[in-house]
Amino acid sequence: MSPLIRLLAFAMLATPAVAAPDLIVLSNNITTSDDAQPSAQAFAVTGGRFSYVGDEAGALRLAGPRTKVLRLGTRRVLPGLVDAHIHPLGIVDLDQCDLGSKPQTLTEIAGIVRGCVARYKLKPGEWLNVQQWNYTNGNQPDDDNPTLRAALVRGAPANPVQLLGNDGHHGAFNSAALKLAAANGQTFGLSRATLAGQFARYRELIGVDAQGEPSGGVNESARATMGKSALAIIDVAAVMKAPERVTQRLNSVGITAFLDAAAEPDSFAVYDTLEARGQLTAHTSLAQFYDPDVVARADGTPDFDRMVADSVRWRDHYAHDPLIRADTVKLFADGVMEGNPLAVPPTLPNSPSLTAYLQPVFGRDAHGRATFAGRYVDPASPVCAAARQAAPDPAVFMRANGFHPAQCLTGSGRLQHPRPVIMEFVRRMHAAGLTLHIHAINDAAVRTAVDALEAARAGDPTGAGRPDTIAHLQLVHPDDIARIGRDHLFLAMTYSWTYTDPEYDLSVVPFVQRVKGDGYAALHAADSYYERHAYPAGSLKAAGATLVAGSDAPVFTRDPQPFVNMMGAVTRATGGTPALGPASERLTATDVIRAYTIDGARSLGRETDFGSIAVGKSADFVIVDTDPLSVAPNRLDKVRVCETWFQGRSVYRAESSVSTCPFAR
Ligand SMILES: [Zn+2]
């Protein structure tokens, strides 16, 4: 607690009659997220902060002539929600070519791209970026559009086109774009020849067709070879035209604090502008993002000195800001773990795996969807040994063997940066007093993140209590679950991703473990590695980690949808599908509200300022139409926010058309 807050709290306790509250809220159902007093029937707000939490009589005794009293009956009141991993500048809808995450066939995608070229009146050669591409569902090829590349050429023959995966990691490009790929300032284009030469280091990130030519899929850092336009995921200039839409959308779903999980300095002006206009109606934490591949010395090695100096300068710049902090730095340990079963040969996942990926042989059904009958290529077979020697003609080989010869090779994916770079980045940033926020999806990346944090803490004992956070954790080896618990790490999980979906699961599970088919039972065998250790929220919590919640919006959807995410945590299912993993991995509604409030604030290092309804803290709270603590778990996603209050003022009120909001006062 800052001296000022302590003084304020003390002053109010000592002389309640002098400072009558501005507001008193009465409800039989106040969840405070404060361990000392988990529930209450009333609270008071004075000067933007909670000045009393307790029973109704105690609150009403404080009322003065100008105190406003809000009588909410049995309505549930929660502390303002904390989204501990989001990309806020991507959550507003802009006028841009957008696939809206809807599954579409390649022919449909080609049509949409053609429409966008016309709608935005693009001249030949101008880039077209197509947002929110669903890369795991849909994308069925046909004879006219056998590959992503072919479909995008059809849609826009004269313009470089990129589909931006709705995860921020996948991309797809047409020939005009692939032609622009450059290395060391020289343009070579991406082709079978340059993939074996100038661009060999990106091979795992680039999908190829049966002839070895790029088939359009280009992921992760390989996208940057096509220039800056290829990575324009967030359009800061467009957001700047109406930056208040960012905080309005956050407040409309109950969010009053967040971590921008990859904040680049050129976007800080958005928050500064909002704050200057009094429109920054959420506590803002910036996870500063510097890519060690980009912030490099002349010899190409990461410039750690510069990254540390920049991080420290911005942290200090915001250290005394009323609303903004920049105490955290972001690092990607890996990318994402979906392969592409529709490509021939199938594109393997590229995130790092503790065991080598398998080589499933997929088929296609009449609608162009991938199927899997349980057949795998055996790289140790004589056929494969011969294929690796002789480099046979793919078409001839496929006719004889029923799979592409490239499937005789295996891979284990890769870290986003070489392990020594990750270790050094974490060590240097930690030593400089910054908090780490590390993206880690697959088991080998999670292990590397834990290794790096443990080493950094061992060398920097003063930083042991810092809320270092790992984000996502799609697959975690049980040994690392135990370590994460012992280290008391914070974990930002997106609970709406924890569900089963045969089409999505086919892009992951058959590569990770041997499965016998493509149905639910085959992909989700109860004792299998993936099923037991995918998003192991319950195990991580039981081991001693602190769970927080991050929507990762606009990944999958621009809506930060906290109550949909809560439903995911509690049910690990969506729309009647069977649950993912054992029941012991599910959280309770109380757990996930805690993750979304006080524990989220702790992960930002700001729990003395907000995160619970407690005297002295920022008066941020949410009134909902349905009680998330008593509603059926599979209806948690139906909870609507009626009102959001930030620093004691109303910043959002639902339209009267929304369910049972508003209500009589
Ligand atoms: Zn993210």
Side-chain angles (χ1 to χ4, degrees):
M1 199 182 275
S2 78
L4 181 69
I5 299 165
R6 205 179 299 133
L7 188 68
L8 186 69
F10 175 76
M12 288 180 302
L13 284 173
T15 55
V18 176
D22 307 308
L23 174 72
I24 288 174
V25 173
L26 308 175
S27 159
N28 291 326
N29 287 313
I30 298 171
T31 294
T32 65
S33 293
D34 176 9
D35 286 339
Q37 187 180 11
S39 61
Q41 291 72 48
F43 57 78
V45 176
T46 310
R49 293 192 175 265
F50 295 116
S51 51
Y52 170 88
V53 182
D55 60 21
E56 196 174 311
L60 290 174
R61 255 199 306 277
L62 305 172
R66 274 197 282 274
T67 302
K68 179 169 157 179
V69 179
L70 211 55
R71 293 174 192 275
L72 301 176
T74 57
R75 255 168 228 288
R76 178 66 62 181
V77 180
L78 304 170
L81 303 180
V82 182
D83 192 325
H85 183 117
I86 184 171
H87 306 281
L89 306 193
I91 67 172
V92 291
D93 296 310
L94 302 169
D95 177 20
Q96 54 194 354
C97 192
D98 197 318
L99 295 171
S101 295
K102 222 175 109 196
Q104 320 256 15
T105 66
L106 292 187
T107 295
E108 288 166 341
I109 290 173
I112 292 168
V113 166
R114 192 175 306 120
C116 287
V117 171
R119 176 147 64 96
Y120 295 103
K121 301 188 173 59
L122 296 184
K123 296 187 196 75
E126 282 185 325
W127 267 96
L128 174 65
N129 277 335
V130 185
Q131 305 283 333
Q132 298 293 91
W133 166 50
N134 187 329
Y135 59 94
T136 56
N137 294 51
N139 304 299
Q140 300 93 310
D142 56 33
D143 290 346
D144 289 341
N145 299 294
T147 62
L148 286 159
R149 177 179 182 169
L152 298 181
V153 169
R154 252 172 199 265
N159 299 83
V161 176
Q162 166 176 222
L163 303 185
L164 291 118
N166 61 1
D167 62 341
H169 296 268
H170 282 83
F173 296 83
N174 67 353
S175 301
L178 295 168
K179 232 183 260 172
L180 300 174
N184 302 322
Q186 211 185 325
T187 303
F188 299 101
L190 275 176
S191 65
R192 178 187 166 138
T194 60
L195 269 180
Q198 293 88 345
F199 299 114
R201 70 188 180 110
Y202 295 117
R203 255 203 340 248
E204 289 143 306
L205 304 176
I206 296 170
V208 292
D209 65 16
Q211 284 69 49
E213 291 292 338
S215 58
V218 179
N219 305 324
E220 306 292 352
S221 55
R223 296 171 294 175
T225 60
M226 282 166 277
K228 213 169 158 47
S229 311
L231 278 176
I233 295 170
I234 282 173
D235 187 343
V236 176
V239 175
M240 265 306 236
K241 287 179 190 153
E244 68 281 4
R245 292 170 62 203
V246 172
T247 37
Q248 283 167 357
R249 181 152 208 183
L250 293 169
N251 293 156
S252 74
V253 294
I255 294 167
T256 56
F258 63 85
L259 178 78
D260 181 331
E264 299 191 61
D266 67 353
S267 69
F268 295 176
V270 176
Y271 299 116
D272 291 341
T273 302
L274 284 169
E275 189 174 37
R277 293 180 185 168
Q279 294 171 327
L280 190 59
T281 49
H283 305 284
T284 299
S285 284
L286 307 174
Q288 303 184 49
F289 177 53
Y290 305 97
D291 184 344
D293 280 351
V294 175
V295 188
R297 297 175 189 281
D299 65 359
T301 59
D303 191 341
F304 293 109
D305 292 339
R306 201 169 114 208
M307 289 187 280
V308 169
D310 286 353
S311 307
V312 167
R313 197 178 65 247
W314 283 114
R315 177 197 58 199
D316 294 348
H317 173 84
Y318 287 115
H320 302 289
D321 189 278
L323 293 171
I324 306 173
R325 292 289 179 280
D327 303 339
T328 302
V329 285
K330 170 71 173 286
L331 181 70
F332 286 93
D334 68 346
V336 287
M337 69 182 295
E338 299 83 18
N340 184 357
L342 289 168
V344 181
T347 312
L348 291 181
N350 61 57
S351 62
S353 175
L354 289 171
T355 53
Y357 288 116
L358 302 173
Q359 285 283 10
V361 181
F362 295 100
R364 279 201 209 141
D365 70 11
H367 307 287
R369 291 196 186 89
T371 59
F372 184 59
R375 182 177 175 213
Y376 285 90
V377 175
D378 177 7
S381 65
V383 171
C384 272
R388 283 194 297 269
Q389 287 296 318
D393 178 76
V396 174
F397 184 94
M398 284 177 76
R399 265 197 303 281
N401 298 287
F403 64 90
H404 192 282
Q407 289 203 273
C408 287
L409 305 170
T410 55
S412 303
R414 54 188 251 168
L415 292 163
Q416 190 88 359
H417 310 285
R419 182 182 160 94
V421 170
I422 292 175
M423 297 296 287
E424 184 66 359
F425 183 97
V426 173
R427 186 185 77 77
R428 292 286 308 267
M429 290 297 186
H430 213 274
L434 289 141
T435 301
L436 273 295
H437 189 96
I438 306 177
H439 166 119
I441 289 273
N442 204 351
D443 53 10
V446 173
R447 179 164 293 175
T448 302
V450 178
D451 289 347
L453 288 168
E454 287 186 352
R457 287 176 169 195
D460 172 28
T462 57
R466 215 171 288 150
D468 298 308
T469 301
I470 301 178
H472 309 318
L473 305 111
Q474 184 164 356
L475 193 53
V476 188
H477 190 279
D479 292 352
D480 298 314
I481 293 177
R483 294 170 71 200
I484 287 168
R486 278 197 302 276
D487 296 339
H488 301 298
L489 295 179
F490 285 76
L491 308 173
M493 298 184 88
T494 303
Y495 304 102
S496 60
W497 302 348
T498 57
Y499 66 99
T500 59
D501 167 13
E503 197 174 351
Y504 174 88
D505 296 333
L506 206 55
S507 73
V508 174
V509 183
F511 295 102
V512 173
Q513 63 197 21
R514 210 159 267 280
V515 300
K516 295 199 175 74
D518 54 16
Y520 170 80
L523 294 169
H524 295 282
D527 59 349
S528 65
Y529 181 71
Y530 187 83
E531 191 67 4
R532 286 170 59 202
H533 306 304
Y535 300 110
S539 299
L540 287 160
K541 179 174 186 288
T546 300
L547 299 180
V548 302
S551 66
D552 212 7
V555 171
F556 295 111
T557 167
R558 294 189 198 279
D559 184 351
Q561 56 178 33
F563 294 96
V564 175
N565 295 339
M566 288 185 201
M567 182 182 79
V570 176
T571 67
R572 294 173 68 91
T574 178
T577 56
L580 176 66
S584 54
E585 300 304 344
R586 294 175 208 162
L587 303 183
T588 66
T590 303
D591 291 339
V592 73
I593 287 172
R594 204 183 152 86
Y596 252 113
T597 55
I598 185 64
D599 286 341
R602 289 172 63 211
S603 77
L604 309 182
R606 305 178 71 175
E607 70 275 16
T608 56
D609 194 23
F610 56 83
S612 59
I613 296 177
V615 171
K617 288 199 188 184
S618 181
D620 313 331
F621 60 93
V622 179
I623 305 163
V624 290
D625 71 337
T626 308
D627 186 355
L629 290 170
S630 60
V631 73
N634 64 357
R635 294 190 57 79
L636 255 172
D637 62 331
K638 304 287 186 291
V639 175
R640 293 286 174 270
V641 169
C642 293
E643 297 194 18
T644 303
W645 291 66
F646 177 70
Q647 294 186 327
R649 71 190 167 97
S650 171
V651 291
Y652 170 77
R653 279 186 82 172
E655 310 267 325
S656 55
S657 59
V658 174
S659 65
T660 57
C661 317
F663 35 87
R665 292 214 162 138

